[in-house]
Amino acid sequence: MNASPTVIVLLGPPGAGKGTQAHILEEKFGLIQLSTGDMLRAAVAAQTPAGKEAKSVMEAGGLVDDRIVLEILKNRLEQPDIKRGVIFDGFPRTVGQAGSLDKMLSEKGQNVNAAISLDVDDEAMIVRISGRYACESCGEGYHDAFKRPHHEGVCDGCGGAKFIRRADDNADTVRERLVTYHKQTAPLIDYYDRLGVLTRVDAMKSIAEVQEMLARIVMSID
Ligand code: AP5
């Protein structure tokens, strides 16, 4: 990998595996996972002004206003651990956000090194989302069919015994999130292709197989 901080963008529809893969890459390569979805959910839970504004939009499956997203992200990007390199998970989500990211990076003499599109079909995505749950204490993610804890009812990560499902993982919101993805986020595939940094990955494969493909891409960044 290169000497200046590596910047990776993970693209893909809801349930494509962005969070799952970013988490593994974080552990494997010491990069920092930056999920705007996680940041917004934390703001909603803390009932901050931004969280209050974002809540209804997230519940409806739309996109939160760029102003809120960029503000939350800018604060996080000021933290010193970011120097190790980042994996954006769920950001950018519009061509406008991609432009803002390019601007923020170019001010520091950086750019997106790799944009990876995790390609899954719409039906698989619904199966993945409807089976998803996470440990309430540490956030470790699981799936009813594809990734259960080694000991049923006990989190592999922290030993916690309480699990939660996301409020926006219900059928109606998932359908709306998918429409939003195709309309507003999918154009980013062309955007990054034009910049010459795009790789498309078949994310219908298993978690381990997808991870192998991503690790190869990360190791090839120079
Ligand atoms: P966000 O939290 O980003 O949700 P999302 O993009 O809809 O993506 P998900 O987290 O649902 O899916 P994922 O791709 O991470 O899949 P996962 O790894 O969990 O955003 C939520 C909301 O916040 C948005 O709708 C929007 O309102 C707002 N928001 C966020 N960012 C924003 C932004 N930048 N601008 C504006 N608004 C924003 O995997 C899913 C399940 O499948 C898991 O159970 C996993 O174990 C399983 N799985 C993963 N990979 C595989 C595999 N290869 N095979 C089988 N199972 C698999």
Side-chain angles (χ1 to χ4, degrees):
M1 284 199 284
N2 60 0
S4 67
T6 301
V7 179
I8 296 169
V9 166
L10 277 189
L11 299 170
K18 303 181 295 295
T20 303
Q21 296 297 341
H23 181 60
I24 306 173
L25 289 177
E26 180 175 61
E27 293 192 333
K28 214 178 226 171
F29 294 101
L31 302 169
I32 302 295
Q33 174 185 9
L34 292 182
S35 158
T36 43
D38 286 348
M39 292 175 203
L40 288 166
R41 277 184 289 280
V44 170
Q47 298 187 356
T48 64
K52 284 182 187 160
E53 209 175 321
K55 188 172 186 282
S56 57
V57 180
M58 293 171 79
E59 281 172 358
L63 289 185
V64 175
D65 196 275
D66 285 0
R67 173 183 49 85
I68 294 179
V69 175
L70 293 169
E71 189 59 38
I72 288 181
L73 200 62
K74 265 188 194 153
N75 292 339
R76 182 64 185 89
L77 287 171
E78 298 302 321
Q79 306 302 313
D81 59 342
I82 294 302
K83 292 201 178 71
R84 286 154 53 192
V86 295
I87 310 161
F88 287 104
D89 155 13
F91 177 88
R93 244 166 157 113
T94 61
V95 171
Q97 289 185 6
S100 300
L101 176 62
D102 287 344
K103 189 162 172 281
M104 277 191 271
L105 292 172
S106 75
E107 282 165 5
K108 299 177 186 180
Q110 297 169 20
N111 57 282
V112 172
N113 299 101
I116 305 168
S117 171
L118 299 180
D119 297 339
V120 290
D121 63 45
D122 289 359
E123 269 180 37
M125 165 234 137
I126 292 186
V127 171
R128 286 186 190 180
I129 287 196
S130 55
R132 167 170 65 181
Y133 60 101
C135 171
E136 188 179 52
S137 314
C138 73
E140 181 73 23
Y142 296 98
H143 190 279
D144 291 327
F146 309 122
K147 188 191 166 200
R148 302 186 74 94
H150 291 115
H151 300 286
E152 204 52 48
V154 182
C155 174
D156 297 342
C158 71
K162 275 200 176 163
F163 297 88
I164 43 168
R165 290 182 193 258
R166 264 168 54 176
D168 61 347
D169 278 354
N170 64 78
D172 284 349
T173 309
V174 169
R175 265 192 292 275
E176 202 45 52
R177 284 161 63 197
L178 194 55
V179 170
T180 303
Y181 170 78
H182 286 301
K183 207 152 86 186
Q184 295 187 258
T185 308
L188 288 176
I189 294 174
D190 278 348
Y191 179 93
Y192 285 113
D193 196 20
R194 280 198 297 273
L195 290 180
V197 292
L198 180 79
T199 309
R200 299 189 77 147
V201 164
D202 177 7
M204 293 295 290
K205 304 230 187 269
S206 71
I207 293 174
E209 287 170 307
V210 175
Q211 178 55 210
E212 235 173 75
M213 293 187 268
L214 296 194
R216 253 184 262 134
I217 295 168
V218 174
M219 285 189 290
S220 72
I221 294 172
D222 52 32

